[in-house]
């Protein structure tokens, strides 16, 4: 397997993670969550991040989103350092986090009114893309789990971010809905050309979706290995190559 840990940052890359460290100070004392994380993502690249529970995946995504500050290191987008949330990054969480008092349409367009160029046709297009046009007037409690998560994805896309950060977005869904959403996400990715960073516990999901899999070590999280997945889409989970990679990663993640 190819190791890319020492890869020299490429000026053409969209996202660069430069030697990120994170230590939390809590009543329990210091918790070192991340140690020296380095990697980069190219424009339109789909990267999956896997690792054991507690290895710092969510912390890493929150730092990239600007929701958390690193103890050391930097996040760069198109060569510019960033340490606060911005419209160039959008996050999708495990649970949809919709406003219960707003319709699907209003949830998706929430906060867009100061960005007139993004409203109107754009929201209609996004709702069509995620397959929610028919329920745009519905409220979150009227949606299935899959629909609610589609609405969360639509809301993330509404600001046209450069990077879509997804933290186990399908893990609360049943297996059938999850498989459907994985397929649909690939369609959305193809249509929008977003750069996607996708955290998952599920090695199979990482292999079906991503162009490279970043494997983290157990805590404190470090980059153990970055594995390119150079296979065409749609991928067959039962193909020999995917089964071989799954076996390798299952052994490797321990
Ligand atoms: N706000 C916080 N204060 C103190 N410690 C924290 C905080 N957030 C996370 N941690 C600790 O940092 C470490 C990494 O947590 P994190 O949630 O990033 O891991 P994870 O890989 O996403 O876990 P999981 O796969 O279980 O969701 C854990 O030891 C966790 O307890």
């Amino acid at each position: 397997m190819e190791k890319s840990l020492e890869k020299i940052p490429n000026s053409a890359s969209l996202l660069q993670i430069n030697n990120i460290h994170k230590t939390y100070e809590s009543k329990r004392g210091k918790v070192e969550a991340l140690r020296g994380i380095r990697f980069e993502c190219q424009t339109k690249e789909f990267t999956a991040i896997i690792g054991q529970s507690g290895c710092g995946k969510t912390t890493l995504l929150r730092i990239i989103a600007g929701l958390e500050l690193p103890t050391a290191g930097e996040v760069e987008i198109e060569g510019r350092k960033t340490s606060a949330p911005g419209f160039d990054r959008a996050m999708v969480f495990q649970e949809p986090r919709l406003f219960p008092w707003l319709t699907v349409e209003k949830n998706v367009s929430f906060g867009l009114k100061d960005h007139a160029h993004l409203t109107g046709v754009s929201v209609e297009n996004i709702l069509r893309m995620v397959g929610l046009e028919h329920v745009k007037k519905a409220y979150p409690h009227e949606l299935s789990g899959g629909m609610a998560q589609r609405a969360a994805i639509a809301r993330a896309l509404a600001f046209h971010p450069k990077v879509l950060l997804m933290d186990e977005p399908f893990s609360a869904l049943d297996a059938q809905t999850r498989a459907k959403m994985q397929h649909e996400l690939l369609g959305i990715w193809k249509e929008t050309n977003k750069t996607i960073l996708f955290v998952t516990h599920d090695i199979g999901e990482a292999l079906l979706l991503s162009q490279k899999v970043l494997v983290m070590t157990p805590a404190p999280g470090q980059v153990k290995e970055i594995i390119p997945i150079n296979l065409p889409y749609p991928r067959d989970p039962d193909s020999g190559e995917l089964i071989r990679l799954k076996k390798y990663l299952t052994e490797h993640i321990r």
Side-chain angles (χ1 to χ4, degrees), residues 170-195:
F170 306 148
S171 59
L173 304 175
D174 63 85
Q176 212 182 339
T177 308
R178 186 174 187 153
K180 194 157 183 263
M181 294 291 289
Q182 289 166 348
H183 175 75
E184 287 177 15
L185 178 62
L186 286 176
I188 291 168
W189 174 50
K190 205 171 163 197
E191 191 165 343
T192 60
N193 287 322
K194 294 291 169 218
T195 302

Side-chain angles (χ1 to χ4, degrees), residues 9-122:
N10 175 348
S11 58
S13 71
L14 181 78
L15 176 69
Q16 279 186 26
I17 309 304
N18 299 329
N19 204 18
I20 292 278
H21 292 255
K22 177 68 181 180
T23 299
Y24 288 105
E25 310 257 0
S26 71
K27 286 181 190 144
R28 291 185 289 142
K30 291 189 174 188
V31 179
E32 189 185 7
L34 298 173
R35 187 186 289 176
I37 302 280
R38 276 176 212 276
F39 66 94
E40 59 181 50
C41 299
Q42 309 299 322
T43 303
K44 304 180 196 174
E45 197 171 29
F46 197 134
T47 304
I49 300 177
I50 60 170
Q52 285 182 7
S53 181
C55 75
K57 302 180 295 295
T58 294
T59 299
L60 177 59
L61 230 54
R62 286 177 59 81
I63 289 173
I64 296 170
L67 300 172
E68 194 87 62
L69 281 176
T71 312
E74 280 145 7
V75 174
E76 284 184 22
I77 303 213
E78 290 177 329
R80 283 188 304 275
K81 292 187 182 97
T82 171
S83 56
F87 294 125
D88 50 2
R89 285 146 292 148
M91 189 126 162
V92 178
F93 302 88
Q94 188 175 337
E95 68 293 347
R97 301 195 183 186
L98 301 171
F99 299 117
W101 59 87
L102 294 179
T103 61
V104 166
E105 189 178 35
K106 291 273 191 289
N107 261 286
V108 173
S109 60
F110 185 83
L112 283 179
K113 61 179 184 301
D114 297 332
H115 304 266
H117 60 294
L118 298 179
T119 50
V121 175
S122 177

